[in-house]
Amino acid sequence: VSIDANYSQFGDYMQRMVEAVSEQWELLGHRSNLADGNLDTRVVLTFHLDKSGRVKDMQIAYSNATRAAQLLCQDAVISRSPYGEWTREMVNALGEDLPITFT
């Protein structure tokens, strides 16, 4: 899992989010019956993270994976939301929401 965020000053928050998504992705992956053909594939998700830590407007920006694998990736992000309220400092710097790209 990788994340592309423009505001590295909030790295602790983003790191916790990445860890939560990674753990969920691993858990869902172990429970699924996805074929080995999905091992070398890529799914790029774009979404907005709002100040309450909720995921909104998720889209698949790119994928060469099966539909089942795409859904697993989306679920790994959505099912762990919300990721926690932003601090006042984060809201002042980021506004009401932040565009995120997960690969």
Side-chain angles (χ1 to χ4, degrees), residues 81-98:
S81 174
Y83 292 97
E85 292 278 332
W86 292 2
T87 64
R88 182 173 304 228
E89 179 183 56
M90 289 175 72
V91 173
N92 289 340
L94 304 175
E96 298 291 312
D97 66 16
L98 178 66

PDB file of all heavy atoms in Angstrom, residues 81-98:
ATOM      1  N   SER A  81     -13.031   3.095   7.942  1.00  0.00           N
ATOM      2  CA  SER A  81     -13.431   4.485   8.125  1.00  0.00           C
ATOM      3  C   SER A  81     -14.506   4.562   9.206  1.00  0.00           C
ATOM      4  O   SER A  81     -15.319   3.648   9.309  1.00  0.00           O
ATOM      5  CB  SER A  81     -13.971   5.004   6.793  1.00  0.00           C
ATOM      6  OG  SER A  81     -14.504   6.285   6.898  1.00  0.00           O
ATOM      7  N   PRO A  82     -14.534   5.588  10.030  1.00  0.00           N
ATOM      8  CA  PRO A  82     -13.716   6.797   9.971  1.00  0.00           C
ATOM      9  C   PRO A  82     -12.353   6.589  10.631  1.00  0.00           C
ATOM     10  O   PRO A  82     -12.193   5.746  11.508  1.00  0.00           O
ATOM     11  CB  PRO A  82     -14.536   7.826  10.738  1.00  0.00           C
ATOM     12  CG  PRO A  82     -15.325   7.023  11.722  1.00  0.00           C
ATOM     13  CD  PRO A  82     -15.598   5.699  11.053  1.00  0.00           C
ATOM     14  N   TYR A  83     -11.408   7.365  10.183  1.00  0.00           N
ATOM     15  CA  TYR A  83     -10.025   7.255  10.645  1.00  0.00           C
ATOM     16  C   TYR A  83      -9.688   8.212  11.776  1.00  0.00           C
ATOM     17  O   TYR A  83      -8.543   8.291  12.187  1.00  0.00           O
ATOM     18  CB  TYR A  83      -9.074   7.471   9.460  1.00  0.00           C
ATOM     19  CG  TYR A  83      -9.177   6.330   8.490  1.00  0.00           C
ATOM     20  CD1 TYR A  83      -9.979   6.415   7.362  1.00  0.00           C
ATOM     21  CD2 TYR A  83      -8.505   5.142   8.719  1.00  0.00           C
ATOM     22  CE1 TYR A  83     -10.099   5.360   6.488  1.00  0.00           C
ATOM     23  CE2 TYR A  83      -8.620   4.071   7.857  1.00  0.00           C
ATOM     24  CZ  TYR A  83      -9.421   4.188   6.739  1.00  0.00           C
ATOM     25  OH  TYR A  83      -9.551   3.131   5.883  1.00  0.00           O
ATOM     26  N   GLY A  84     -10.662   8.902  12.280  1.00  0.00           N
ATOM     27  CA  GLY A  84     -10.459   9.797  13.414  1.00  0.00           C
ATOM     28  C   GLY A  84     -10.620  11.257  13.028  1.00  0.00           C
ATOM     29  O   GLY A  84     -10.275  11.654  11.922  1.00  0.00           O
ATOM     30  N   GLU A  85     -11.163  12.011  13.960  1.00  0.00           N
ATOM     31  CA  GLU A  85     -11.352  13.449  13.754  1.00  0.00           C
ATOM     32  C   GLU A  85     -10.010  14.132  13.550  1.00  0.00           C
ATOM     33  O   GLU A  85      -9.017  13.773  14.185  1.00  0.00           O
ATOM     34  CB  GLU A  85     -12.023  14.065  14.990  1.00  0.00           C
ATOM     35  CG  GLU A  85     -13.442  13.638  15.218  1.00  0.00           C
ATOM     36  CD  GLU A  85     -14.433  14.407  14.385  1.00  0.00           C
ATOM     37  OE1 GLU A  85     -14.160  15.571  14.028  1.00  0.00           O
ATOM     38  OE2 GLU A  85     -15.499  13.844  14.097  1.00  0.00           O
ATOM     39  N   TRP A  86     -10.008  15.110  12.673  1.00  0.00           N
ATOM     40  CA  TRP A  86      -8.810  15.910  12.469  1.00  0.00           C
ATOM     41  C   TRP A  86      -8.668  16.911  13.615  1.00  0.00           C
ATOM     42  O   TRP A  86      -9.660  17.385  14.164  1.00  0.00           O
ATOM     43  CB  TRP A  86      -8.898  16.687  11.162  1.00  0.00           C
ATOM     44  CG  TRP A  86      -8.848  15.848   9.932  1.00  0.00           C
ATOM     45  CD1 TRP A  86      -8.768  14.479   9.853  1.00  0.00           C
ATOM     46  CD2 TRP A  86      -8.896  16.310   8.593  1.00  0.00           C
ATOM     47  NE1 TRP A  86      -8.753  14.079   8.545  1.00  0.00           N
ATOM     48  CE2 TRP A  86      -8.836  15.188   7.750  1.00  0.00           C
ATOM     49  CE3 TRP A  86      -8.992  17.568   8.018  1.00  0.00           C
ATOM     50  CZ2 TRP A  86      -8.856  15.279   6.365  1.00  0.00           C
ATOM     51  CZ3 TRP A  86      -9.016  17.674   6.636  1.00  0.00           C
ATOM     52  CH2 TRP A  86      -8.933  16.552   5.825  1.00  0.00           C
ATOM     53  N   THR A  87      -7.449  17.270  13.898  1.00  0.00           N
ATOM     54  CA  THR A  87      -7.198  18.322  14.873  1.00  0.00           C
ATOM     55  C   THR A  87      -7.567  19.670  14.257  1.00  0.00           C
ATOM     56  O   THR A  87      -7.694  19.799  13.036  1.00  0.00           O
ATOM     57  CB  THR A  87      -5.716  18.353  15.286  1.00  0.00           C
ATOM     58  OG1 THR A  87      -4.931  18.684  14.132  1.00  0.00           O
ATOM     59  CG2 THR A  87      -5.266  17.015  15.868  1.00  0.00           C
ATOM     60  N   ARG A  88      -7.716  20.662  15.093  1.00  0.00           N
ATOM     61  CA  ARG A  88      -8.003  22.012  14.601  1.00  0.00           C
ATOM     62  C   ARG A  88      -6.896  22.485  13.657  1.00  0.00           C
ATOM     63  O   ARG A  88      -7.153  23.126  12.636  1.00  0.00           O
ATOM     64  CB  ARG A  88      -8.132  22.972  15.773  1.00  0.00           C
ATOM     65  CG  ARG A  88      -8.488  24.394  15.360  1.00  0.00           C
ATOM     66  CD  ARG A  88      -8.760  25.215  16.573  1.00  0.00           C
ATOM     67  NE  ARG A  88      -9.817  24.521  17.326  1.00  0.00           N
ATOM     68  CZ  ARG A  88     -10.892  25.091  17.808  1.00  0.00           C
ATOM     69  NH1 ARG A  88     -11.070  26.365  17.648  1.00  0.00           N
ATOM     70  NH2 ARG A  88     -11.792  24.401  18.464  1.00  0.00           N
ATOM     71  N   GLU A  89      -5.657  22.142  13.983  1.00  0.00           N
ATOM     72  CA  GLU A  89      -4.520  22.504  13.133  1.00  0.00           C
ATOM     73  C   GLU A  89      -4.647  21.878  11.744  1.00  0.00           C
ATOM     74  O   GLU A  89      -4.377  22.521  10.729  1.00  0.00           O
ATOM     75  CB  GLU A  89      -3.219  22.059  13.801  1.00  0.00           C
ATOM     76  CG  GLU A  89      -1.984  22.369  13.003  1.00  0.00           C
ATOM     77  CD  GLU A  89      -0.722  21.829  13.676  1.00  0.00           C
ATOM     78  OE1 GLU A  89      -0.664  20.609  13.955  1.00  0.00           O
ATOM     79  OE2 GLU A  89       0.196  22.621  13.902  1.00  0.00           O
ATOM     80  N   MET A  90      -5.070  20.618  11.699  1.00  0.00           N
ATOM     81  CA  MET A  90      -5.256  19.948  10.409  1.00  0.00           C
ATOM     82  C   MET A  90      -6.361  20.620   9.603  1.00  0.00           C
ATOM     83  O   MET A  90      -6.199  20.851   8.403  1.00  0.00           O
ATOM     84  CB  MET A  90      -5.582  18.463  10.621  1.00  0.00           C
ATOM     85  CG  MET A  90      -4.414  17.639  11.102  1.00  0.00           C
ATOM     86  SD  MET A  90      -4.876  15.927  11.479  1.00  0.00           S
ATOM     87  CE  MET A  90      -5.131  15.272   9.834  1.00  0.00           C
ATOM     88  N   VAL A  91      -7.483  20.933  10.250  1.00  0.00           N
ATOM     89  CA  VAL A  91      -8.596  21.580   9.544  1.00  0.00           C
ATOM     90  C   VAL A  91      -8.154  22.941   9.020  1.00  0.00           C
ATOM     91  O   VAL A  91      -8.465  23.302   7.883  1.00  0.00           O
ATOM     92  CB  VAL A  91      -9.838  21.700  10.451  1.00  0.00           C
ATOM     93  CG1 VAL A  91     -10.930  22.515   9.778  1.00  0.00           C
ATOM     94  CG2 VAL A  91     -10.355  20.321  10.845  1.00  0.00           C
ATOM     95  N   ASN A  92      -7.411  23.699   9.832  1.00  0.00           N
ATOM     96  CA  ASN A  92      -6.935  25.014   9.392  1.00  0.00           C
ATOM     97  C   ASN A  92      -6.013  24.895   8.177  1.00  0.00           C
ATOM     98  O   ASN A  92      -6.052  25.729   7.278  1.00  0.00           O
ATOM     99  CB  ASN A  92      -6.205  25.733  10.524  1.00  0.00           C
ATOM    100  CG  ASN A  92      -7.150  26.193  11.610  1.00  0.00           C
ATOM    101  OD1 ASN A  92      -8.355  26.324  11.409  1.00  0.00           O
ATOM    102  ND2 ASN A  92      -6.602  26.428  12.796  1.00  0.00           N
ATOM    103  N   ALA A  93      -5.185  23.872   8.146  1.00  0.00           N
ATOM    104  CA  ALA A  93      -4.223  23.707   7.050  1.00  0.00           C
ATOM    105  C   ALA A  93      -4.827  23.017   5.828  1.00  0.00           C
ATOM    106  O   ALA A  93      -4.502  23.376   4.699  1.00  0.00           O
ATOM    107  CB  ALA A  93      -3.010  22.920   7.534  1.00  0.00           C
ATOM    108  N   LEU A  94      -5.711  22.047   6.059  1.00  0.00           N
ATOM    109  CA  LEU A  94      -6.202  21.207   4.968  1.00  0.00           C
ATOM    110  C   LEU A  94      -7.580  21.603   4.463  1.00  0.00           C
ATOM    111  O   LEU A  94      -7.969  21.200   3.368  1.00  0.00           O
ATOM    112  CB  LEU A  94      -6.245  19.730   5.406  1.00  0.00           C
ATOM    113  CG  LEU A  94      -4.937  19.139   5.915  1.00  0.00           C
ATOM    114  CD1 LEU A  94      -5.173  17.721   6.411  1.00  0.00           C
ATOM    115  CD2 LEU A  94      -3.877  19.178   4.843  1.00  0.00           C
ATOM    116  N   GLY A  95      -8.331  22.325   5.271  1.00  0.00           N
ATOM    117  CA  GLY A  95      -9.703  22.634   4.902  1.00  0.00           C
ATOM    118  C   GLY A  95     -10.639  21.544   5.380  1.00  0.00           C
ATOM    119  O   GLY A  95     -10.353  20.819   6.330  1.00  0.00           O
ATOM    120  N   GLU A  96     -11.753  21.407   4.694  1.00  0.00           N
ATOM    121  CA  GLU A  96     -12.791  20.455   5.090  1.00  0.00           C
ATOM    122  C   GLU A  96     -12.514  19.018   4.670  1.00  0.00           C
ATOM    123  O   GLU A  96     -13.027  18.086   5.247  1.00  0.00           O
ATOM    124  CB  GLU A  96     -14.142  20.888   4.510  1.00  0.00           C
ATOM    125  CG  GLU A  96     -14.613  22.235   5.014  1.00  0.00           C
ATOM    126  CD  GLU A  96     -14.995  22.189   6.483  1.00  0.00           C
ATOM    127  OE1 GLU A  96     -15.732  21.273   6.885  1.00  0.00           O
ATOM    128  OE2 GLU A  96     -14.546  23.095   7.214  1.00  0.00           O
ATOM    129  N   ASP A  97     -11.716  18.847   3.598  1.00  0.00           N
ATOM    130  CA  ASP A  97     -11.378  17.505   3.142  1.00  0.00           C
ATOM    131  C   ASP A  97     -10.073  17.523   2.363  1.00  0.00           C
ATOM    132  O   ASP A  97      -9.556  18.578   2.024  1.00  0.00           O
ATOM    133  CB  ASP A  97     -12.506  16.868   2.326  1.00  0.00           C
ATOM    134  CG  ASP A  97     -12.759  17.569   0.993  1.00  0.00           C
ATOM    135  OD1 ASP A  97     -11.917  18.351   0.534  1.00  0.00           O
ATOM    136  OD2 ASP A  97     -13.808  17.299   0.405  1.00  0.00           O
ATOM    137  N   LEU A  98      -9.570  16.322   2.123  1.00  0.00           N
ATOM    138  CA  LEU A  98      -8.270  16.157   1.464  1.00  0.00           C
ATOM    139  C   LEU A  98      -8.381  15.079   0.397  1.00  0.00           C
ATOM    140  O   LEU A  98      -8.835  13.976   0.678  1.00  0.00           O
ATOM    141  CB  LEU A  98      -7.226  15.734   2.512  1.00  0.00           C
ATOM    142  CG  LEU A  98      -5.813  15.467   2.035  1.00  0.00           C
ATOM    143  CD1 LEU A  98      -5.167  16.749   1.538  1.00  0.00           C
ATOM    144  CD2 LEU A  98      -4.988  14.880   3.185  1.00  0.00           C
TER     145      LEU A  98
END
